[in-house]
Amino acid sequence: MDYYGGFEGLSRKIEIRCFCIDPSVKSSLRFLRTTPWAREKVESLYLYVLRQKAKQKSQLSKS
């Protein structure tokens, strides 16, 4: 979560109430476990970041 700038950074990337209003790890996990559409958004962001990191690493190794 630090990579995204904590809850504030996550709330800018994904506008989900559990990240914007009184966020905590416990409440966010509870919400994401019970809300498939929100979990999909978070998983998509995570996979996007992984692809970007791999792309950057690949570009650095080519240099």
Side-chain angles (χ1 to χ4, degrees), residues 19-56:
F19 297 152
C20 300
I21 300 172
D22 195 28
S24 72
V25 172
K26 184 177 179 179
S27 67
S28 297
L29 288 175
R30 185 178 334 120
F31 179 75
L32 293 171
R33 284 185 190 119
T34 59
T35 314
W37 64 264
R39 186 172 51 248
E40 287 176 20
K41 285 187 172 201
V42 173
E43 288 170 353
S44 292
L45 175 62
Y46 176 73
L47 292 174
Y48 171 78
V49 169
L50 285 181
R51 286 190 302 270
Q52 293 300 316
K53 284 183 176 183
K55 187 177 179 180
Q56 289 174 349

Side-chain angles (χ1 to χ4, degrees), residues 1-20 23-25 28-29 32 38 41-43 45-46 49:
M1 183 168 32
D2 291 335
Y3 176 84
Y4 305 103
F7 283 111
E8 185 179 325
L10 275 174
S11 69
R12 278 188 249 119
K13 296 278 187 189
I14 305 173
E15 292 184 27
I16 299 176
R17 187 175 180 166
C18 68
F19 297 152
C20 300
S24 72
V25 172
S28 297
L29 288 175
L32 293 171
K41 285 187 172 201
V42 173
E43 288 170 353
L45 175 62
Y46 176 73
V49 169

